[in-house]
Amino acid sequence: MSVLDIRSAIGQERDATPAYYDFKVLESVLEGGLCRITIQPQAVYPKVVLDESLEDAEAWWPKPHKGSAKVLAVAAEEDQIILKGATSRPPVKDGLLRIYPPQYLDALLHCWLDNSWAHQAMACWQGLDTSVRVAANPLSGHAFRWLRRAQRQALKLVQYSSSFLYGPPGTGKTTTLGVLLAEYLHMNPRARVLLLSTTNHAVDQATVAVDKALEQSKREALRKTIKRLGSRFVASHYAGREHLLPVRDKRLIKQLADLQAQRPSDTELAELRLWKEQVQALEQKLRSQSLEVLRQNRLSCMTTTRAAFTLQDLRTLPTFDLVVFDEASQVGLAHALALMPLGRSHLFAGDPQQLSPVVRSPATLVQRWLGSSPFSKKPVNGPSVCFLDEQSRMAEPICGLVSHLFYDGLLRVAEGVKDDAKWLATRRREFAGIPPDVHVHTEDVSTEGAWSQTYNGPIRYESADRIGQLVATAVQQDGWDPKGIVVLTPFRAQRALIRRRLREHGVHHVKVSTVHRAQGSEVPVIIFDPAEAANPFLLSDEAKRLMNVAFSRAQAKVVLMHSPGDSANPLIDQAIHRVRLQAGARSVTQIEDLVQNTDFPTCTLGKFVQIGKHFGEVCAISRDGSVLTMRNANTGAEQTFMVNVLRAKGRAST
C-alpha cells in the first residue's frame, strides 16, 4: 500500500463522478426570495446524488430563462432542491436543472498531494490495527452510575492511540460517546478534542450528547467550551443549548447568505468582480472566526467534509489530543487517514454492519481506500475494541432477528429493560390484526415487483395496496399514531407508489422513506417492502447492511412484505424461515437420540433437532444419505452435516 495507490484511487473515483448532474423538473414554486424545485425521482439508491452534499452547489438552467442560483438546502425525501439568489426565472415543469456539486474529491486529493502530510497519514494507517497504550488510567465514569457493563468498558478506549467503539442499533452508541467525551474533558483539563461526523444531523446529535452528559454530571464550566462549527445545523436541536453555537459565526453566515443572494448577472463583469471580492472577504473572515473558535475551545465539532475542505487552516492549529470520528463506518478510509494527523490519538465510533461509504467506481483501489472505512482495519478483538452488546430499542424477537442475521448472535436485550413492565407494554400492541405478542410478521403477497415507466423504477402494486390497508386499519381502528409508523423501501419508485396508496386510504403523516435516510432513527413500527428482492442491487453486500438498518429501526413490530420471488434473496429467505421456525413452541430432539435408529438419517426429516450448539428443522437428506441439511432456527440459514460424523459422535456418547 502506498500514497500513490490512494492518489490513484481518488483520481479513479473522480473520473467516475460526473462534474454535474442533470435533473428533470416536475414542479417549480417561488417562496419569497427562494425557489423550491421538485425533481423527477431516481430509481435506485446507488445512483442517487440528492443529499446534503449538494448544499452550496451551483445550479444552472438553459433558455428560455437561462440563469443560475445557489443550492440553499436539499429535502432528499421529498425530491426537492431549494435555490437562493436566482438570476432569472427558474425552470418550469419538464425543464432542465443542472447542478454542479462542490468538488469534495478535489479537496481530498489536495490533502494527499502534500507529500509531508501524506506520509504522516500513512503512518497513521500502519498504526490502526496495532494500537499502543498512551494513557495510564481509564476514565472513571463515577458520575454515570447507569452505564451498562459494555458502556463502562468503552471508557477505557481513550487509553489507546487508536480505538474502536462498535455500536450496533439501539445500544446507545451516541450516548456512550457523549459520556466518554464529557469524562475525557473533565479528567484532562488541558486536552483539546476534535469531533467529526459524516452528516450535519450526526454532528448535531453527538454535540448535544456531550453537552447533556456534562449537564448531568454538573460540569457547567465545561459546557461553555464546546462549539458546533458550520452553518447547516438544525436550530431546534440547540434550544436551551445556544452556548454550543458561535454567535459571531452565525452573524457572519447571515451576512454571507444575504450577499450571495445579490449576485450580479454574469454580463455585468465589473459588478460581478466587486461582488466576488466581497464574498471572498466575508468567507475569509468566517474562516478566521472558526479558527479562533478552534483555538479557544476544548471540543470543536464539524462534519468530515468541512474538515477536508478546511484542512489547510486546521493544520495551522496545535495538534488535538484526541480526534473522534463518529459514524466512522461511513467515512472512506482515505478520507479518515487524511484527517488523522490532526490528532495524537483517534477514536472511531460506528457500526460496520450498517451503511458504508458510497462510491461510484468499482475499481479495486477505490473500493479499498474510499469504499472501505477505518473499521476495515479494526483489530478482531483486544483492549482497543469495545462492542456494545446490549440494546434497549427492539423487542426481544426483533433483537433476535437482527442479532443472528447481522451480529453472530452477540446482540441482546439489556438486562435492565427486558423485565420492565412499561417497556414491555409499549412493545405489546395489536397492529392491524397482528397480535400484540407477534413482533416480527411476514405479510405474504402473490405478485412480484417489476419495472414501471410511470414511476421510473421497480414497483409492486400488491404490496403497496396491502401496506395502505394495514396502515389505514392501524391508524383508523387500532388508534396508532401515524408518526409511530415508518414504511421503508430500497426504491424511490416504490416509495412514491406507497405514498399515493396511503393518501388514497386517507392516511397522512406516515413517513415513507428510502432506507438510507432512516439510519439513526427509531419508531414503534417498521414496514419493510423490498418491492423486488431479487433485484441485483438487493443481492449486494451493501444491501445486507441496508436491510439491517431497516429491521433495526423498530421498537415493537417489523412487518416484512414477502412474495415467492423474494425468497431468491438469501437474506430475505433466511428472515422468512427464521420467523416460521421461531413461531410457537416446538419439541426438540437431540441428534444423539436418533442416530441409533435403523432408518437414520431418514427418520430426522421434518423433525426439530439439536446438533451440538445448533438447532433447527431437518429439511433435506442427500440422495445417497450421506448429508443431512438443517434449517437453523436462529439464523434461518441452511446448515449441512455429514451423517457418518453424526453417527460416530452418537456412538461415542453412549
Side-chain angles (χ1 to χ4, degrees), residues 263-292:
R263 175 182 176 127
S265 166
D266 287 346
T267 59
E268 303 173 60
L269 296 181
E271 292 84 350
L272 185 62
R273 180 179 177 181
L274 178 61
W275 175 84
K276 284 187 174 180
E277 289 173 353
Q278 292 173 326
V279 169
Q280 289 171 354
L282 264 180
E283 288 176 339
Q284 181 57 46
K285 193 175 181 180
L286 188 60
R287 283 194 294 270
S288 299
Q289 291 280 27
S290 295
L291 284 174
E292 190 61 28

Side-chain angles (χ1 to χ4, degrees), residues 528-543:
F528 179 64
D529 183 10
E532 191 183 45
N535 185 288
F537 166 58
L538 290 181
L539 297 173
S540 65
D541 288 340
E542 184 63 16

